């Protein structure tokens, strides 16, 4: 554990150093104090959670907290990740900021929102819950046990933070993370008052079948048998992993014992609503969630307003580029950046691990799309701010 913890800590330190001395592009236009993009009234900062699992093994969990500026402890929402089931993607592409928009939504309504990557994801230690499994033997029950172990350990570590209110906690997960919070819900952890499952499940193949469906239904029935914490299940009607007929069947398996669970079919979102939690605008889902939170006597009213954003378009952008920049400005998906050149070529980035990394990705994406002879792309915006003068 100590080696993994040291490695993760070194990466955080290196990120801060890179911000100070980066020579590439104009990513160094970002000030060192802006290592992590911020909204007025909120604090966003990385966490490394060294934990001891309930089997006695040590682990380190990759996390990020977004919380209101407050002098008193806050209710906690633990948000956990989904997966595509490949180690290469999870290690290389998933970081806690992928769920920044969800964290910002909860933080704006009074929560310390902690995104926690379970073992095997991002910079968390260990192997993911699907390691060693296959579609023929996906080990749903074993995966649920591992998920529960990680999240219970994370809860314990978070409650040592000075900003955490120990007796008012909410669990939230999407996709495989939705399955993870349901597995944890079955243990009825003290202080957890509600659970929200966004498009949760395991073993999706083609939207029509599931890997070892009997065991998946068995696992959900087992969780529902002991769970006493109220849960909300949200599934987009055009979810291509768990469409309505499958998600409703999973819910019915969980609900056999008559526990406090509610299923809501959300409207279609985009081409595939499976990831609406981390891609849809907050107003797509917050009203539904707020009604549930109010029923559970949990905070649901806005305490920190979203900023009014006034930025001008890069002058050379064509219609497609302007549409991309409009979507960029509207997205609360930090860390984000937008780059362009004098010919209107552009590139964007979302969900990077730091502001500097977002800038580098946006510059790379812009440069690779350039037409021959074009001048090098420069960074135009980072977060909600323009960092260079508009390109003539």
């Amino acid at each position: 554990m100590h080696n993994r913890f040291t490695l993760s800590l070194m990466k955080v330190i290196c990120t801060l150093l890179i911000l100070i001395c980066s020579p590439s592009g104009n990513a160094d236009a970002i000030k060192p104090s802006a290592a992590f993009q911020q909204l007025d009234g909120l604090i966003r900062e990385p966490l490394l959670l060294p934990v001891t699992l309930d089997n006695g093994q040590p682990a380190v969990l990759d996390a990020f907290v977004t919380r209101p500026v407050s002098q008193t402890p806050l209710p906690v929402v633990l948000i956990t990740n989904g997966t595509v089931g490949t180690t290469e993607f999870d290690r290389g592409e998933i970081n806690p900021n992928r769920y920044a928009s969800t964290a910002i939504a909860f933080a704006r309504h009074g929560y310390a929102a902690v995104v926690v990557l379970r073992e095997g994801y991002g910079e968390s230690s260990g192997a993911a819950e699907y390691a060693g499994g296959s579609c023929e033997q996906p080990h749903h029950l074993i995966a649920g046990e591992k998920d529960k172990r990680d999240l219970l350990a994370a809860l314990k570590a978070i409650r040592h933070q000075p900003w955490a209110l120990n007796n008012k906690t909410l669990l939230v997960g999407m996709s495989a993370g939705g399955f993870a919070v349901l597995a944890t819900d079955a243990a009825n952890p003290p202080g957890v008052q509600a659970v929200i499952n966004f498009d949760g499940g395991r073993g999706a193949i083609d939207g029509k079948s599931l890997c070892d469906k009997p065991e998946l239904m068995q696992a959900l029935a087992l969780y529902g048998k002991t769970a006493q914490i109220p849960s909300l299940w949200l599934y987009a009607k055009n979810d291509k992993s768990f469409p309505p007929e499958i998600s409703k069947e999973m819910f019915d398996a969980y609900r056999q014992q008559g526990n406090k669970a509610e299923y809501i079919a959300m409207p279609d979102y985009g081409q595939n609503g499976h990831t609406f939690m981390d891609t849809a605008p907050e107003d797509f889902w917050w009203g539904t969630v707020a009604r549930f939170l109010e029923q559970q006597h949990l905070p649901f009213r806005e305490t920190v307003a979203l900023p009014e954003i006034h930025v001008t378009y890069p002058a050379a952008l064509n219609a497609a580029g302007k549409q991309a920049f409009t979507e960029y400005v509207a997205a609360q998906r930090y860390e984000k950046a937008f780059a362009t050149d004098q010919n209107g070529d552009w590139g964007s980035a979302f969900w990077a691990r730091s502001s500097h990394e977002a800038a580098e990705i946006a510059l790379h994406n812009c440069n690779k799309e350039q037409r021959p002879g074009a001048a090098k792309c420069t960074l135009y915006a980072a977060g909600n701010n323009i960092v260079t003068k508009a390109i003539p």
Side-chain angles (χ1 to χ4, degrees), residues 4-5 7-8 11 48 58-63 81-99 116-131 146 150 351-353 357:
R4 183 72 186 183
F5 177 83
L7 177 61
S8 298
K11 287 187 177 182
L48 289 170
V60 174
L61 300 178
D62 189 5
N81 58 286
T83 179
V84 296
T86 60
T87 302
E88 292 78 10
F89 175 87
D90 294 332
R91 284 294 191 196
E93 299 297 331
I94 289 183
N95 73 69
N97 286 325
R98 186 174 182 88
Y99 308 95
V116 176
L117 302 188
R118 303 183 305 283
E119 287 185 281
Y121 298 92
E123 295 301 323
S124 293
S125 59
E129 72 272 33
Y130 55 77
K146 183 174 176 59
D150 285 354
W351 301 321
R353 191 169 280 274
E357 183 178 297

Side-chain angles (χ1 to χ4, degrees), residues 339 346-349 360-370 377:
W346 58 274
S348 60
E360 293 289 353
I361 293 171
L363 287 166
H364 171 78
N365 290 340
C366 181
N367 286 324
K368 74 178 183 180
E369 297 298 328
Q370 283 186 303
C377 292

Side-chain angles (χ1 to χ4, degrees), residues 37-49:
Q37 293 165 6
Q38 306 286 343
L39 290 176
D40 289 343
L42 300 181
I43 297 170
R44 301 181 61 244
E45 55 192 3
L47 294 176
L48 289 170
L49 298 175

Side-chain angles (χ1 to χ4, degrees), residues 113-174:
V114 188
V115 177
V116 176
L117 302 188
R118 303 183 305 283
E119 287 185 281
Y121 298 92
E123 295 301 323
S124 293
S125 59
E129 72 272 33
Y130 55 77
S134 64
C135 192
E136 290 75 23
Q137 293 182 310
H139 305 310
H140 298 303
L141 285 164
I142 294 174
E145 186 65 24
K146 183 174 176 59
D147 289 339
K148 179 185 72 172
R149 184 179 295 137
D150 285 354
L151 296 186
L152 289 178
L155 281 173
K156 185 176 181 180
I158 290 167
R159 286 169 175 165
H160 288 297
Q161 299 292 330
W163 37 257
L165 190 62
N166 294 343
N167 62 350
K168 193 169 285 190
T169 304
L170 175 67
L171 299 181
V172 171
M174 66 162 286

Side-chain angles (χ1 to χ4, degrees), residues 70-328:
S70 174
Q71 300 301 314
T72 58
L74 298 160
V76 170
V77 54
L78 189 162
I79 303 163
T80 196
N81 58 286
T83 179
V84 296
T86 60
T87 302
E88 292 78 10
F89 175 87
D90 294 332
R91 284 294 191 196
E93 299 297 331
I94 289 183
N95 73 69
N97 286 325
R98 186 174 182 88
Y99 308 95
S101 61
T102 312
I104 289 169
F106 278 99
R108 292 198 325 103
H109 293 84
Y111 293 84
V114 188
V115 177
V116 176
L117 302 188
R118 303 183 305 283
E119 287 185 281
Y121 298 92
E123 295 301 323
S124 293
S125 59
E129 72 272 33
Y130 55 77
S134 64
C135 192
E136 290 75 23
Q137 293 182 310
H139 305 310
H140 298 303
L141 285 164
I142 294 174
E145 186 65 24
K146 183 174 176 59
D147 289 339
K148 179 185 72 172
R149 184 179 295 137
D150 285 354
L151 296 186
L152 289 178
L155 281 173
K156 185 176 181 180
I158 290 167
R159 286 169 175 165
H160 288 297
Q161 299 292 330
W163 37 257
L165 190 62
N166 294 343
N167 62 350
K168 193 169 285 190
T169 304
L170 175 67
L171 299 181
V172 171
M174 66 162 286
S175 192
F179 180 85
V181 297
L182 293 173
T184 309
D185 179 14
N188 298 302
V192 175
Q193 292 181 271
V195 172
I196 304 178
N197 160 31
F198 285 86
D199 295 287
R202 295 190 83 242
I205 301 175
D206 53 10
K208 298 178 181 178
S209 54
L210 299 168
C211 299
D212 197 351
K213 181 178 176 180
E215 189 190 345
L216 179 63
M217 297 302 171
Q218 177 190 355
L220 291 169
L222 184 65
Y223 301 153
K225 185 176 181 179
T226 60
Q228 299 176 8
I229 300 169
S231 62
L232 177 66
W233 297 45
L234 303 176
Y235 289 82
K237 291 180 180 178
N238 66 334
D239 186 323
K240 292 187 178 179
S241 295
F242 305 108
E245 58 274 16
I246 291 178
S247 58
K248 192 63 168 63
E249 188 176 357
M250 292 192 296
F251 176 77
D252 289 342
Y254 179 86
R255 189 75 170 75
Q256 289 178 47
Q257 302 298 317
N259 49 30
K260 299 176 182 178
E262 179 183 6
Y263 176 101
I264 294 179
M266 298 292 288
D268 290 354
Y269 180 75
Q271 298 300 309
N272 179 3
H274 183 64
T275 59
F276 78 83
M277 186 193 85
D278 64 349
T279 56
E282 176 186 311
D283 60 10
F284 178 83
W285 55 268
W286 183 260
T288 302
V289 166
R291 286 190 290 273
F292 173 71
L293 296 176
E294 183 178 13
Q295 292 168 3
Q296 311 312 320
H297 308 291
L298 288 164
F300 67 95
R301 292 189 174 90
E302 181 182 82
T303 59
V304 177
L306 283 172
E308 292 186 11
I309 303 169
H310 304 285
V311 293
T312 56
Y313 291 99
L317 288 181
N318 59 20
K322 287 183 178 180
Q323 178 61 32
F325 190 69
T326 297
E327 293 172 357
Y328 170 86

